[in-house]
Amino acid sequence: MVLIIFIMQEIETARLYLRQFTPDDLDDLYRIYSDPETMKYLAGVRTREATEIAIHTMLERWEENNFGMWAVVHKIDRKMIGRCGLGFLDQTPEVELGYTLDKVYWNQGLATEASFASLNYGFQILKLERIVAIARPENIASQRVIQKVGMKYEKNAHYYETDVVYYSISRETYESKVVL
C-alpha cells in the first residue's frame, strides 16, 4: 500500500492570505457569486446550491491536480473576499489564471497581488512552462490585471461559450521580470 500525503500550499502576501476553501466560506462566496455586478463578465450569478458545489469542486481540483483556486482572505479585515488561482482552461490542457473578488475590494491592486502569488506558485512550485489568462474584451479591469502580471495578448478566442481575449506568459519571461 502506498501512502500519498497531499499538502495544499498556503500563501501569504503583503495584504492577503491565499488558503484552501472550507465549508465555512459558503456565505462569503455566495455573497460574491450572487452579485450581478461582480459576476457580470463571468458565468452570471450563482445560487447558494451552485456556490456550495463550486467549493466542493475547487477542493476536488486541488486533490486531482495539486493546484486550483484559493480562498483569498484580506489580512486586515480577516474576511474571505474572493478566489484566485490556477485551473485548466475550458476543455484544454492549458493552465489558466483566474480570479474573482468582492466588488468592495476592487481597484486596490488586490487581484494583481493574488495573481502574482498564483503565477509564482505555478512557475516555482509546479514548474509549469506557461500560464494563460482570458477575459471578455469589454472587461478592461481584468485585462489590466492580466497585463500588470506580465502577460501578453496573443489572440482573440472563444472559451466558455463566449468571445474572449487570450493572454499568456512563459516561465522564462516571468522569471526574467519578477524578483523571486
Side-chain angles (χ1 to χ4, degrees):
M1 183 172 143
V2 176
L3 176 63
I4 298 174
I5 299 174
F6 176 76
I7 299 173
M8 203 288 297
Q9 298 283 330
E10 292 188 0
I11 296 175
E12 181 177 349
T13 68
R15 299 177 290 169
L16 303 170
Y17 294 110
L18 279 63
R19 61 156 174 80
Q20 191 157 16
F21 274 94
T22 72
D24 291 339
D25 294 319
L26 179 58
D27 289 339
D28 287 329
L29 191 60
Y30 175 63
R31 185 188 68 255
I32 295 164
Y33 277 7
S34 64
D35 180 77
E37 187 178 0
T38 301
M39 300 302 286
K40 179 178 179 180
Y41 299 116
L42 299 169
V45 296
R46 295 190 189 172
T47 64
R48 185 174 180 81
E49 294 76 23
T51 304
E52 190 170 19
I53 291 168
I55 289 174
H56 180 73
T57 301
M58 287 186 272
L59 293 172
E60 284 180 344
R61 295 297 174 265
W62 272 103
E63 290 177 19
E64 293 167 2
N65 306 315
N66 200 29
F67 63 86
M69 289 291 151
W70 280 285
V72 178
V73 177
H74 194 270
K75 281 184 177 179
I76 294 172
D77 297 348
R78 295 277 184 202
K79 183 176 181 182
M80 197 283 290
I81 64 166
R83 64 169 178 80
C84 184
L86 304 172
F88 285 109
L89 179 64
D90 187 30
Q91 299 178 34
T92 75
E94 294 183 288
V95 176
E96 168 192 20
L97 169 69
Y99 45 84
T100 305
L101 292 184
D102 185 331
K103 66 184 177 188
V104 173
Y105 295 89
W106 289 357
N107 300 310
Q108 298 176 34
L110 297 172
T112 302
E113 190 171 319
S115 293
F116 268 124
S118 296
L119 289 177
N120 194 57
Y121 180 82
F123 290 129
Q124 297 303 306
I125 305 299
L126 300 175
K127 302 297 185 194
L128 297 172
E129 290 301 320
R130 183 170 185 262
I131 298 174
V132 303
I134 61 169
R136 289 195 181 173
E138 61 274 20
N139 190 347
I140 302 303
S142 187
Q143 289 182 61
R144 285 190 186 125
V145 170
I146 293 167
Q147 293 163 359
K148 284 179 187 175
V149 297
M151 293 186 155
K152 298 295 181 209
Y153 170 82
E154 279 191 24
K155 62 185 177 181
N156 290 341
H158 192 85
Y159 293 102
Y160 305 106
E161 301 178 11
T162 192
D163 291 330
V164 296
V165 287
Y166 176 103
Y167 289 77
S168 72
I169 189 169
S170 68
R171 178 166 34 146
E172 181 181 356
T173 299
Y174 179 79
E175 290 175 349
S176 72
K177 291 184 176 189
V178 176
V179 177
L180 301 174

